[in-house]
Amino acid sequence: NAGVTQTPKFQVLKTGQSMTLQCAQDMNHEYMSWYRQDPGMGLRLIHYSVGAGITDQGEVPNGYNVSRSTTEDFPLRLLSAAPSQTSVYFCASSYSRGTVTDTQYFGPGTRLTVL
Amino acid sequence: GDSVTQMEGPVTLSEEAFLTINCTYTATGYPSLFWYVQYPGEGLQLLLKATKADDKGSNKGFEATYRKETTSFHLEKGSVQVSDSAVYFCALGGATNKLIFGTGTLLAVQP
């Protein structure tokens, strides 16, 4: 199993550009989520999904869109990049649907810089 | 709402020293509690967890006990190694489908 994979590993954008961060898992996990990690802020939840076709907002959803058309994939879209979105983005997945008591498996992260 | 507070770092220790990283939480109901570790340049990985009061999670010499009366889940290790240098995150998982993380504590172990 590859586990949770994320692409790209690094990305530089200009203000106003859009892009999609890719996340895929091959563990047949129902629950997937996106976090951003900023210095002194820990990890903050952006969006999450409890199964294909179901998504919901986390703590900091503004400026981001998600969709979940398959169990395996959970892309994160930045609609119009802003410098405040400079961060490290982590995708995570877990087996359970409707709870977060199970172990979360994290991808290696995408380091995004918005100029 | 639910929240996690953990001690600020960095924590700098010599090899073989005793480690404690404090974590307290605020939550409704009966959350599960986790410690995740992030080694340099990597994503987070689960270190240990406890799902109910008085449970003790343990792994790789680390342990933490779920204390409902003090709403705490402090991480301890009796003898740290240089390879334990990393960022440690306390996290809470409740009934809301959301995992709430603390701000992280950087541990630096010197030989």
Side-chain angles (χ1 to χ4, degrees), chain A residues 17-83:
Chain A
Q17 288 185 317
S18 63
M19 79 159 295
T20 299
L21 307 185
Q22 302 291 345
C23 174
Q25 53 89 12
D26 61 358
M27 297 174 281
N28 201 32
H29 284 171
E30 292 278 10
Y31 185 92
M32 296 186 73
S33 55
W34 277 101
Y35 294 88
R36 58 178 290 173
Q37 182 180 25
D38 302 293
M41 304 288 288
L43 276 77
R44 293 181 292 170
L45 182 65
I46 304 171
H47 285 285
Y48 66 98
S49 168
V50 298
I54 307 170
T55 64
D56 205 347
Q57 295 182 350
E59 183 184 357
V60 288
N62 292 342
Y64 307 95
N65 273 359
V66 292
S67 59
R68 185 96 179 269
S69 56
T70 67
T71 299
E72 293 78 20
D73 301 296
F74 191 44
L76 178 72
R77 297 183 187 83
L78 279 70
L79 309 174
S80 177

Side-chain angles (χ1 to χ4, degrees), chain B:
Chain B
D2 295 353
S3 66
V4 173
T5 303
Q6 63 181 103
M7 64 188 289
E8 290 190 21
V11 174
T12 303
L13 295 174
S14 297
E15 211 165 20
E16 299 184 3
F18 184 86
L19 169 70
T20 299
I21 300 178
N22 290 338
C23 172
T24 58
Y25 68 91
T26 302
T28 55
Y30 303 96
S32 294
L33 300 173
F34 305 83
W35 278 101
Y36 281 84
V37 58
Q38 184 180 29
Y39 297 104
E42 298 183 8
L44 280 72
Q45 56 186 273
L46 179 70
L47 180 60
L48 53 84
K49 69 178 181 181
T51 58
K52 62 182 187 296
D54 299 325
D55 268 2
K56 177 185 285 188
S58 61
N59 186 26
K60 300 181 181 180
F62 291 89
E63 59 182 34
T65 301
Y66 188 162
R67 303 281 189 203
K68 192 170 185 300
E69 63 275 12
T70 55
T71 61
S72 65
F73 193 55
H74 304 320
L75 182 68
E76 296 181 336
K77 186 175 185 183
S79 176
V80 294
Q81 305 300 313
V82 172
S83 57
D84 294 326
S85 298
V87 181
Y88 292 81
F89 291 92
C90 185
L92 176 158
T96 59
N97 293 325
K98 299 176 185 179
L99 195 60
I100 308 298
F101 284 89
T103 53
T105 302
L106 173 64
L107 170 65
V109 180
Q110 298 176 339

